[in-house]
Amino acid sequence: MPADGSWELLPPDVLSCRPVTFAAGGSQQGLAVVQITVNGRTAELEEGLSILDALRRLGLEVPHLCHDDRVQAAAVCRTCLVEVEGEPKPVPSCATRLREGMVVRTDTPALEDERRGVLRMLAWRYPAEPAHRFPEKPFHKAVSGYGLSSELRGMHDLRLQDSSHPHIQVDMSRCIDCYLCVRICDELQGQFVWRVLGRGAETRVTPGTGVSLLASACVGCGACASTCPTGALEDKTRLEQGSPERWTRTTCPYCGVGCELEVGSRGERVVAVRPVLDAPVNKGHLCVKGRYAFEFVHADDRVTTPMIRDRLGWRRVSWPEATGFVAERLRGLVAQYGPDSVGVLGSSRATNEENYLAQKFARVVLGTNNVDCCARVCHAPTAAALKLMLGTGAATNSFNDIERARTLMVCGSNTTENHPVVGARIKQAALRGANLVVIDPRRIELADYAVLHLQHRLGTDVALFNAMAHTLVAEELVDREFIDSRVAEWEEFQRFIVDWTPERASALCGVSADSIRRAARLFGTAKPSLCVNGLGLTEHSQGTENVMCLVNLALLTGNVGRPGTGVNPMRGQNNVQGAAQMGCEPSNLTGFVPVAQGREAFERAWGAALPARKGLDVIQMVEAAKEGRLKGLWAIGYDLLLTNPGVERTRDALRKLGLLIVQDLFMNETAREVGTVFLPACSSFEKDGTFMNAERRIQRVRKVLEPLAGSKPDWEIICAVARALGHAQGFEQASPEEIWSEVRTVWKVGAGIGYSRLEQGGLQWPCPSEDHPGTEILHRSSFPVGPRAALRRIDFKPSAEARSAELPYLLNTGRSLYQFNAGTMTLRTPNRELRPADTLDLSPDDARALQLSEGDRVRVRSRYGEATLPAHVSERLRPGECFATFHTPTARVNALTSDERDPYTHTPEYKVTAVALEKC
């Protein structure tokens, strides 16, 4: 305590709470300071804090059983009461704001008696066993602290227990009616699962159905369990495996949102995950995958020994033998057929550091630009469109702009399922009054909250966006000031767009002309307007042009370079943005610098000559393998056979390779069927590094566990093979931080992002220097392409995959909430109980016509192959269109998909395939 008797403040970053919540776009700078007196000592604190916030800043604890910083204060538990001079009775500290000169007492005898009385009233019907087993729970701590443990006299009531959900155990014998579960489900997730039924002593909190949690609308985010002060709602892993011994802050290994986690471990096992409360990305929230789908790390079929396949099958070998074999075979192929006879695939599940080394290995050690990653089959069109039109192939804005926008337009993104934490933020924005426009062929969950849902026909996005642009121009809803100063080819675009009337587009896309006009008017007038786009735009034969048309709308309305605006792709995997940005891309080096433009600078930095020949992307590599031009391939964390279009065609091509190195955690389908060498990698929970999320944010990945015996981090494996090939120089790094330090020397816009700056949260590039704060919003005053960005004149080109008498349906494919991509991780967790298999979703009209009922097996046949799936009848699809997920290896959904691809990026057209359906 300072000598003058004032309080010494604890810094906010040592608190487990968020001490200040800022309005959208706000900052701590400029906040007024008030002087208060607490228990006889003075303190100066920011205006706007609650008394409870202030007490925690001062290191004072008062019980609070109904408060969570993630929801609005409710002041129902009465344990955080304090006395304030001038107030006739005690006030709830959680709901009372500081004011100048306030005098607060927290520890008077009357207050202590009041708290003890409240706790005693709750204790008499509360069971003693959980208080002893989990003393860290807030209610248990409070009861113990007030000496009331002996008064816990309740019993577990089996009628109030529910074990139906695979992740969350319900025991309402332990409920103290704080209603935090109700409020956090409503205010954070927006799922409205929990309801309060009854009155007085008969009051009960129950799932909305009143039957079971599993049968309710619960999406398994675990927010209710994370906030429950007693454990009435508890993670099953904690009950089964005990409380964690330590917590490690890291980043989620699933989608491109990049949620920060605290991973709880006990011994060498992950037993729990909770959200980082002050994380700028997820703000104390997680989804069912990030919070609960971690048990793949301990799956029984983790591969932990390198293997080489010979004529008798897989043979276990030592690491030196494996790396020596790989080096010898690569050396031989390059010597015999040339450097371009081999290729390397980086991984969206690997760190930035590892992807950087993978592309450096391809170019420096092998001498080829044949290097790519799975961005090719997802958001490469978005990166290409944004790069071509604006100059940077990444999101223009940040997730925080969701709360700043007046209009949100979600295009081809089932955000609440595929990027659930951002989806929840969009949902909450709509509930607060933002205009939500959903453009999607399916009636996704967000459409239920939208003011307008444009349910267009598959593959007609260009026609729809052009008609919106026509409306903006014809009705003079464009931002002329922005166009005059920052947009090129305006006159040419006006002449082009005049023919794209909403009536013309309506005939093509099946959306009324009136709805198209209404969407355009909202986007152009209720500003700022922000676009979110997903794979529903990119995985088309016009994928890049779909996104270009979206950029046109943003440019026409001035919704670029400003808060609450922009074009913002929802990247599919945790580090798919980083993999491409680090140079796992045949045409671009680290930083997405074109090879021809950056080759000399990288040659100086790396001390080696780099290839000038054009490299092959993954689609071209498969074609080259089929033709016998590609002889060897190293696939790092990428199950080509399961995820590429045309399973049979891909398998036939890969079988012609002389060497196929698979580096993964598990024996994936590529390794099982056509692999030559298997190198066992470890998970992101077992190594250090960084990931890059969809909003350009670099965040730390921290080792929670030691690698499972026999497995290694990807970077160590790459360096070992480089050394075996005689290229120790440039691959001698001893840690991921050393690799990242090298990345910063060649990637100038990331030069200011050092590990030390990432300790308390991520930074968004561009961040060129150590004193740079990072960049939330791109293109504020100019574009990398110049002072003006040109509008693009794009005509609609229908997909070659059209309905016919023989193939009368169109198939769309994508992800679901509970599984992730190829299911490599999630199928090895209890999430398989929530979605055990892929389904074919179709409309009730189509189900009746085919005499199909829920669960019936359906044979799906395209021009390229067939698959059999159980039917799921859904009101969310248009007649004539069906949808299938692709998570289950045995389903082989990609046997159906076509050879059609985007001409700019070669991204496959996963979203439109003509099929026939037949009941099995």
Side-chain angles (χ1 to χ4, degrees):
M1 183 182 72
D4 63 1
S6 63
W7 286 101
E8 184 174 357
L9 301 186
L10 293 176
D13 60 5
V14 306
L15 302 173
S16 61
C17 62
R18 291 199 308 271
V20 189
T21 301
F22 300 110
S27 72
Q28 192 169 348
Q29 294 179 353
L31 282 179
V33 173
V34 295
Q35 186 175 79
I36 64 171
T37 302
V38 180
N39 295 342
R41 300 177 191 167
T42 60
E44 291 188 346
L45 291 145
E46 303 96 323
E47 188 177 39
L49 291 177
S50 69
I51 295 177
L52 180 60
D53 292 333
L55 297 179
R56 289 183 290 182
R57 286 289 303 277
L58 299 173
L60 287 172
E61 286 192 25
V62 296
H64 49 93
L65 302 179
C66 71
H67 182 73
D68 188 311
D69 290 325
R70 296 171 289 178
V71 297
Q72 296 296 313
V76 297
C77 75
R78 298 188 60 79
T79 58
C80 74
L81 293 177
V82 295
E83 294 177 358
V84 175
E85 192 172 282
E87 296 290 340
K89 58 183 179 179
V91 300
S93 61
C94 63
T96 307
R97 299 290 163 184
L98 298 185
R99 60 178 182 268
E100 178 62 34
M102 181 178 274
V103 177
V104 179
R105 299 292 306 186
T106 70
D107 56 359
T108 66
L111 287 172
E112 293 295 284
D113 286 345
E114 174 81 10
R115 293 174 190 140
R116 187 174 288 104
V118 170
L119 293 169
R120 178 175 284 116
M121 181 179 65
L122 296 171
W124 75 268
R125 61 185 176 92
Y126 192 89
E129 180 271 333
H132 298 306
R133 186 178 177 189
F134 300 107
E136 73 279 5
K137 296 287 183 182
F139 178 62
H140 303 164
K141 287 174 65 176
V143 168
S144 175
Y146 278 82
L148 299 173
S149 298
S150 62
E151 300 191 27
L152 296 168
R153 300 190 180 104
M155 300 292 291
H156 289 285
D157 186 341
L158 294 179
R159 296 171 301 173
L160 300 178
Q161 295 182 11
D162 174 11
S163 300
S164 62
H165 199 280
H167 297 306
I168 302 169
Q169 176 67 36
V170 180
D171 181 0
M172 287 303 173
S173 306
R174 297 165 63 180
C175 179
I176 59 171
D177 297 335
C178 68
Y179 307 143
L180 269 172
C181 57
V182 179
R183 290 184 286 129
I184 205 162
C185 189
D186 294 358
E187 297 177 30
L188 186 66
Q189 174 58 34
Q191 217 62 33
F192 305 97
V193 169
W194 296 102
R195 286 291 172 264
V196 181
L197 302 179
R199 292 183 177 182
E202 299 302 314
T203 300
R204 291 287 181 267
V205 177
T206 180
T209 59
V211 179
S212 72
L213 185 58
L214 185 62
S216 73
C218 176
V219 293
C221 71
C224 57
S226 77
T227 196
C228 180
T230 68
L233 302 170
E234 185 63 274
D235 295 344
K236 284 188 172 181
T237 53
R238 183 171 292 200
L239 294 172
E240 294 162 358
Q241 301 178 40
S243 297
E245 297 169 335
R246 60 187 179 278
W247 294 93
T248 306
R249 182 170 178 160
T250 188
T251 304
C252 182
Y254 285 105
C255 78
V257 172
C259 297
E260 286 195 87
L261 321 171
E262 287 185 336
V263 180
S265 54
R266 189 178 182 89
E268 283 300 309
R269 191 172 187 90
V270 175
V271 296
V273 168
R274 66 189 183 192
V276 173
L277 295 182
D278 62 353
V281 171
N282 50 307
K283 301 183 186 299
H285 197 25
L286 290 175
C287 79
V288 64
K289 293 185 285 287
R291 183 170 173 88
Y292 293 119
F294 54 77
E295 292 188 21
F296 68 89
V297 178
H298 309 294
D300 292 338
D301 61 341
R302 276 280 300 268
V303 180
T304 58
T305 305
M307 294 184 288
I308 297 172
R309 195 199 295 267
D310 58 27
R311 61 186 179 83
L312 298 177
W314 287 107
R315 174 172 58 88
R316 295 184 177 186
V317 299
S318 67
W319 271 107
E321 183 177 352
T323 53
F325 178 87
V326 168
E328 180 184 353
R329 294 292 297 275
L330 286 173
R331 185 185 292 112
L333 291 176
V334 170
Q336 185 173 358
Y337 301 105
D340 293 333
S341 68
V342 293
V344 176
L345 297 176
S347 176
S348 61
R349 289 187 285 139
T351 63
N352 291 314
E353 294 81 357
E354 291 164 335
N355 281 295
Y356 172 79
L357 284 186
Q359 60 86 32
K360 183 180 178 183
F361 177 92
R363 291 175 164 119
V364 171
V365 179
L366 299 179
T368 183
N369 284 313
N370 292 348
V371 60
D372 206 7
C373 66
C374 72
R376 183 66 45 201
V377 297
C378 58
H379 263 295
T382 296
L386 291 169
K387 176 87 169 176
L388 286 167
M389 291 188 69
L390 304 180
T392 300
T396 63
N397 287 61
S398 304
F399 295 146
N400 282 342
D401 286 293
I402 292 168
E403 285 79 23
R404 297 165 180 152
R406 288 181 61 207
T407 298
L408 295 155
M409 192 162 76
V410 178
C411 310
S413 168
N414 189 4
T415 326
T416 55
E417 292 209 30
N418 298 337
H419 304 87
V421 169
V422 167
R425 291 178 67 173
I426 293 172
K427 192 192 305 186
Q428 292 293 347
L431 289 168
R432 288 191 299 270
N435 302 299
L436 175 59
V437 177
V438 170
I439 299 177
D440 201 286
R442 295 186 295 154
R443 186 172 179 83
I444 60 173
E445 183 190 3
L446 283 179
D448 298 339
Y449 299 85
V451 296
L452 199 57
H453 174 209
L454 307 188
Q455 192 171 10
H456 61 307
R457 295 185 182 118
L458 286 168
T460 59
D461 304 88
V462 165
L464 178 58
F465 292 145
N466 277 351
M468 290 181 65
H470 171 98
T471 302
L472 293 168
V473 174
E475 298 186 8
E476 299 183 353
L477 303 177
V478 299
D479 186 331
R480 284 307 305 264
E481 182 180 349
F482 186 87
I483 289 172
D484 291 344
S485 61
R486 300 195 59 188
V487 176
E489 302 191 26
W490 163 237
E491 300 295 335
E492 297 90 336
F493 186 82
Q494 284 181 284
R495 290 192 293 272
F496 162 78
I497 209 66
V498 71
D499 294 329
W500 272 105
T501 64
E503 285 73 19
R504 177 187 176 188
S506 178
L508 293 167
C509 64
V511 174
S512 72
D514 178 65
S515 293
I516 295 171
R517 288 190 172 94
R518 287 173 60 202
R521 290 165 185 159
L522 272 175
F523 192 77
T525 61
K527 299 194 294 185
S529 300
L530 178 146
C531 297
V532 168
N533 72 286
L535 302 186
L537 285 195
T538 62
E539 291 179 341
H540 288 277
S541 56
Q542 270 195 290
T544 300
E545 292 180 335
N546 283 342
V547 181
M548 287 179 172
C549 288
L550 202 59
V551 178
N552 280 344
L553 297 178
L555 290 172
L556 286 169
T557 55
N559 279 302
V560 178
R562 296 168 174 170
T565 69
V567 177
N568 302 283
M570 296 308 305
R571 301 305 300 254
Q573 297 198 56
N574 54 304
N575 201 36
V576 68
Q577 177 79 50
Q581 200 73 26
M582 289 299 104
C584 287
E585 219 278 344
S587 302
N588 294 288
L589 298 161
T590 306
F592 231 64
V593 177
V595 171
Q597 178 184 325
R599 190 171 68 253
E600 291 184 6
F602 277 79
E603 286 178 337
R604 289 192 298 271
W606 290 345
L610 299 186
R613 300 174 304 279
K614 184 176 175 59
L616 302 177
D617 60 45
V618 63
I619 303 298
Q620 294 170 318
M621 287 188 215
V622 172
E623 289 177 347
K626 178 182 177 182
E627 296 166 4
R629 293 182 288 115
L630 192 78
K631 304 294 183 180
L633 181 62
W634 188 350
I636 302 171
Y638 191 164
D639 194 350
L640 271 175
L641 188 57
L642 187 60
T643 57
N644 268 34
V647 170
E648 300 301 329
R649 301 187 299 280
T650 302
R651 181 194 293 108
D652 291 344
L654 296 180
R655 278 178 174 160
K656 294 184 178 181
L657 292 170
L659 175 68
L660 178 51
I661 308 157
V662 176
Q663 188 166 308
D664 214 316
L665 280 70
F666 303 99
M667 180 64 65
N668 61 29
E669 296 304 298
T670 304
R672 194 184 321 278
E673 297 202 28
V674 289
T676 311
V677 182
F678 191 97
L679 303 177
C682 64
S683 73
S684 63
F685 292 132
E686 300 163 299
K687 60 187 175 185
D688 288 304
T690 58
F691 288 154
M692 183 187 302
N693 79 345
E695 57 170 2
R696 298 172 280 104
R697 188 182 298 274
I698 308 291
Q699 299 182 115
R700 281 281 279 115
V701 175
R702 295 177 180 85
K703 184 165 68 173
V704 178
L705 311 169
E706 290 300 318
L708 198 61
S711 66
K712 292 180 180 290
D714 294 293
W715 68 272
E716 288 188 15
I717 300 172
I718 295 167
C719 288
V721 175
R723 289 193 297 270
L725 281 164
H727 281 268
Q729 185 176 358
F731 295 88
E732 65 278 278
Q733 296 93 342
S735 69
E737 186 171 7
E738 282 189 36
I739 303 167
W740 185 249
S741 294
E742 181 179 322
V743 172
R744 294 168 63 200
T745 66
V746 297
W747 185 39
K748 302 305 181 187
V749 299
I753 307 176
Y755 269 36
S756 61
R757 295 189 69 193
L758 297 177
E759 283 309 305
Q760 295 302 321
L763 286 167
Q764 292 169 272
W765 60 266
C767 182
S769 62
E770 291 279 0
D771 58 355
H772 194 284
T775 304
E776 275 196 293
I777 300 172
L778 299 178
H779 318 308
R780 284 183 180 270
S781 58
S782 64
F783 304 100
V785 293
R788 294 173 179 265
L791 296 163
R792 296 292 178 120
R793 302 180 294 283
I794 297 166
D795 259 321
F796 171 63
K797 305 178 190 71
S799 169
E801 286 294 305
R803 275 192 283 255
S804 65
E806 183 183 1
L807 302 170
Y809 300 93
L810 290 180
L811 173 69
N812 180 8
T813 64
R815 297 200 317 227
S816 67
L817 172 64
Y818 298 112
Q819 299 297 342
F820 186 70
N821 284 4
T824 306
M825 298 187 293
T826 48
L827 282 171
R828 291 173 169 88
T829 74
N831 274 26
R832 65 184 175 273
E833 298 176 37
L834 296 167
R835 187 176 177 88
D838 292 317
T839 61
L840 180 78
D841 300 358
L842 70 168
S843 73
D845 288 350
D846 291 336
R848 281 190 293 271
L850 294 163
Q851 297 184 332
L852 288 168
S853 299
E854 186 74 20
D856 285 349
R857 304 291 292 177
V858 186
R859 182 176 295 108
V860 188
R861 178 176 52 83
S862 73
R863 296 180 181 91
Y864 316 98
E866 67 175 49
T868 301
L869 296 163
H872 173 56
V873 183
S874 171
E875 298 278 357
R876 294 185 178 272
L877 282 102
R878 300 169 60 109
E881 295 179 359
C882 50
F883 175 84
T885 52
F886 55 89
H887 308 303
T888 313
T890 54
R892 295 291 171 102
V893 170
N894 278 328
L896 301 164
T897 44
S898 76
D899 287 324
E900 294 299 312
R901 62 190 65 162
D902 173 64
Y904 293 83
T905 63
H906 302 155
T907 297
E909 188 170 48
Y910 291 108
K911 299 301 183 186
V912 187
T913 305
V915 296
L917 307 179
E918 178 186 0
K919 184 176 181 178
C920 293

